[in-house]
Amino acid sequence: MSGTLRLDDSGAETLEPREVPLGGLRGITVHRTLPHRSRPTIGAWCFADHFGPTDARMRVLPHPHTGLQTVTWPMAGRIRHRDNLGSDVMLRPGELNLMTSGDAVSHSEISDADDPTPMSGVQLWVALPDSRRLGPADFEHVPDLPRVEGRGWDGLLVVGDFAGESSRAKVHTPLVGVQISLHDPDVVLDLDPSFEYGVLALDGPVDVDGIAVAHRALRYLEPGSRVHLDGPGRTVLLLGGEPFTEKLVMWWNFIARDHDEIVQARDDWMSQPVGGRFGRVEGHADDFIPAPELPNVRLRPRVRLKS
């Protein structure tokens, strides 16, 4: 795991995006801010990829997950989601797909062939706590997300509670995600003092508490922060939650608590890629994404900084 961590004079962090080639999007590059070697999680948010705008088409064949929720948030372009639970949903901008892996799930994501719109969006993961990570898989498509607003801004609430509204998307730790459009300079957001937050600049640079945050970078805010945003006409994604203190071992598409769980998940996927523990995603014949080779060292938990 790599990436640049920039500290200002106060010691606050800006996580600069690192470019990652993603073959499932036909060779395009995504911009990843989480996980970071010094900040593996913000709340239970543990993965953030920003992609597009791009004319490339998404073609992510069946692949597995454990121990997490996937949060798919398109800003332009339509995506067809299919999974081993039997879900078959066309996801549109302003709608949410939330898939809970529990112990095992598999799915595919394919661009709508009839939609020529250049694609852009964010793919996020949420780490599941011990109380839920070994449970059954689940999938929710939420087309009617709450609209929220305040002085100088408005937005869509993806998960959690914010500005007096609640998303019906089910998460398993105290968490919030909201897309915010800025209309005025010096917008002040009312934040939960028990949460840590990240501000992801979605469509151009913004100022966060007087610090310039580049397009696609993520500004970290420790618990108890009060945030000022300046960037009229810009859009940001605010992610937050109570600090997640359970240890995590993350590798490929799996989240576990130790190396041996990762090895078992990989073996299960590769031995029965279209059945068994991870089920079968209909509509792809026997096509699937094989797991990479494991490194020749034991995987260790990622350690977060103290907030």
Side-chain angles (χ1 to χ4, degrees), residues 211-250:
I211 303 298
V213 177
H215 184 205
R216 309 181 195 277
L218 187 149
R219 181 69 171 178
Y220 174 75
L221 305 170
E222 65 183 12
S225 297
R226 189 166 186 261
V227 65
H228 294 252
L229 302 176
D230 192 351
R234 298 299 188 194
T235 302
V236 301
L237 185 63
L238 180 71
L239 304 173
E242 289 186 357
F244 191 86
T245 58
E246 297 181 25
K247 68 178 183 178
L248 298 177
V249 177
M250 297 177 61

Side-chain angles (χ1 to χ4, degrees), residues 87-296:
S87 311
D88 189 345
V89 171
M90 188 66 75
L91 177 65
R92 295 167 173 81
E95 302 177 348
L96 168 68
N97 275 1
L98 179 67
M99 186 179 70
T100 303
S101 74
D103 182 57
V105 78
S106 59
H107 73 132
S108 65
E109 291 178 305
I110 308 290
S111 293
D112 181 1
D114 296 326
D115 182 7
T117 307
M119 294 191 64
S120 65
V122 183
Q123 181 70 62
L124 304 155
W125 292 356
V126 177
L128 288 170
D130 271 338
S131 60
R132 182 61 180 86
R133 71 184 186 91
L134 299 179
D138 192 22
F139 174 77
E140 294 178 76
H141 173 69
V142 187
D144 52 347
L145 294 164
R147 294 197 168 272
V148 290
E149 61 181 358
R151 185 174 180 178
W153 66 272
D154 62 20
L156 275 175
L157 179 58
V158 183
V159 299
D161 301 325
F162 197 77
E165 299 289 343
S166 298
S167 169
R168 66 180 177 88
K170 187 175 182 180
V171 292
H172 300 277
T173 55
L175 207 66
V176 70
V178 54
Q179 180 177 294
I180 295 173
S181 297
L182 304 173
H183 305 303
D184 295 343
D186 196 25
V187 167
V188 180
L189 300 180
D190 185 18
L191 303 181
D192 186 325
S194 69
F195 280 18
E196 57 185 355
Y197 290 90
V199 178
L200 179 62
L202 289 180
D203 58 1
V206 295
D207 281 0
V208 180
D209 295 331
I211 303 298
V213 177
H215 184 205
R216 309 181 195 277
L218 187 149
R219 181 69 171 178
Y220 174 75
L221 305 170
E222 65 183 12
S225 297
R226 189 166 186 261
V227 65
H228 294 252
L229 302 176
D230 192 351
R234 298 299 188 194
T235 302
V236 301
L237 185 63
L238 180 71
L239 304 173
E242 289 186 357
F244 191 86
T245 58
E246 297 181 25
K247 68 178 183 178
L248 298 177
V249 177
M250 297 177 61
W251 180 81
W252 193 46
N253 295 318
F254 306 131
I255 294 183
R257 295 301 185 268
D258 60 42
H259 176 88
D260 293 336
E261 287 184 16
I262 296 289
V263 172
Q264 187 64 61
R266 184 192 183 280
D267 288 348
D268 289 346
W269 175 246
M270 293 302 293
S271 63
Q272 294 180 314
V274 291
R277 175 180 174 184
F278 290 96
R280 180 185 180 90
V281 182
E282 296 296 335
H284 298 285
D286 291 334
D287 291 337
F288 71 101
I289 298 177
E293 294 296 325
L294 280 160
N296 291 322

